[in-house]
Every structure is written in C-alpha cells, then in structure tokens.
Amino acid sequence: IEFAETTIDFGRIECGAKVSHDFVFTNTGSQTLEIYDVRPSCGCTTPLNWARKVEPGDSGTIPFLFNSKDFAGEVLKTIIVLCNDPQNTNVVLQLKGYISTSIEIVPTLALFTPSSDSAPNQIRVLQITNRLAEPLMLFDPVSSNPVFETQFRTNRQGSEYELRVALKRHFVLTNTIASITLKTSSAKIP
C-alpha cells in the first residue's frame, strides 16, 4: 500500500466547520490489497465508505469527515489503516490544522501534574482574547470542582482577559477534571 500523502494540513477553520478529505492510495504489490479496518483516534473523525479490495496497480480512497465542533487551537488527529500488506500492516494517517473561535483561550487546558513533592497552590494562567467584532465582557468564572479555584482579571476592557486557575490542595492522588464556565455579554455565546 502506498499513499499519495499520509498527512494533510487543513489550515485555519472556524470552530464548528467540517473538513472532508480523501486519502488516495495505490496497490503497488502483486496481489489483491485488502483494507480490513479504518480506525480514527476519536469520534470527531469519521471514515466514510472506503475501498476495501484493490487489485495490483489500481488505486483506492479512504475518505473521512472531521467535525471541529468541540475543538479550539491546534489539532492533530490520526486514522489507523489496517491492511494485508505484509510490510505495512498498520498505516497511520494524520490530519492537522488550527480551529479558530470567537473567544480564543490559550492554552485551552490548565493542566496540573501534582505529586507529594509539588508546591501547594500551583497556578496556571489562561489568556482569553475576544475575536468578535463587538466588545465582550466576561465575568463570574465558576469551577465544577472545588479542588480548583479561579481568579479573573481584565487586561484590556472588551478584548483581553486572564483566567488564573489554582490547585488548592497540596496534591491529588487521582485524576481530577473540572470545567470552568464564564458568563459573557454576547447573545451569540452567552
């Protein structure tokens, strides 16, 4: 199995847009090539009806559809193709790009890796930027988990903000996840 390309960069798209692409491959062997399965890394990437058997010298496609609805910033998704090529039984295909949002948050996660040696009250800072045409007010950050404390600061009224997230306990023995919600002045994104 030989692909024309194994990585595509779909560039910059708006959050919620869908991207479709056909990965084209050729059977460069001397026997029928069989594609057993196509496995995306997550549910956001859906393989469509792909060529399952391709004769020597012929080409086939593996089409996919990527839904950017729940993403922001840089994304990298993989699709694993399983086939009967003895030299290349698992081929990894990649799609990457940048998802723009009306409200940009960098980084998109406040990740803590606490241990017994960690300092208490670790803090992560997220920069929030308004990409809407009109000014935006943000307020009332609320964490879904009391282990995380939030502080909010306006850097530039209507356009730039800072969200500070603190891990209140000295260390947490299990994976702990929380979502932080902010209210906005936008009717489009309340």
Side-chain angles (χ1 to χ4, degrees), residues 9 14 16 23 25 30 33 46 68-69 78 90 111 113 123 132 137 142-143 150 158 173 184:
D9 186 340
E14 281 295 317
F23 281 104
F25 64 91
S30 59
L33 175 65
T46 308
S68 67
K69 158 180 100 133
T78 58
N90 297 341
L111 183 63
T113 52
I123 295 173
L132 295 168
M137 302 300 293
V142 176
S143 173
T150 61
L173 296 176
T184 81

Side-chain angles (χ1 to χ4, degrees), residues 50-68:
W50 66 86
R52 297 190 189 279
K53 290 187 178 186
V54 177
E55 295 304 318
D58 289 345
S59 294
T61 61
I62 298 176
F64 77 87
L65 181 66
F66 168 68
N67 186 345
S68 67

Side-chain angles (χ1 to χ4, degrees), residues 36-126:
Y36 299 131
D37 200 5
V38 176
R39 298 180 183 165
S41 58
C42 80
C44 64
T45 308
T46 308
L48 303 173
N49 190 20
W50 66 86
R52 297 190 189 279
K53 290 187 178 186
V54 177
E55 295 304 318
D58 289 345
S59 294
T61 61
I62 298 176
F64 77 87
L65 181 66
F66 168 68
N67 186 345
S68 67
K69 158 180 100 133
D70 295 324
F71 296 93
E74 297 283 337
V75 294
L76 176 66
K77 297 296 170 184
T78 58
I79 301 166
I80 299 173
V81 178
L82 295 108
C83 67
N84 68 335
D85 180 341
Q87 303 298 316
N88 214 2
T89 58
N90 297 341
V91 180
V92 178
L93 306 175
Q94 294 182 327
L95 61 130
K96 62 182 180 176
Y98 187 88
I99 313 299
S100 298
T101 59
S102 299
I103 301 172
E104 187 176 272
I105 303 170
V106 177
T108 55
L109 298 172
L111 183 63
F112 297 88
T113 52
S115 69
S116 56
D117 299 334
S118 301
N121 298 321
Q122 295 181 45
I123 295 173
R124 300 293 182 264
V125 179
L126 291 82

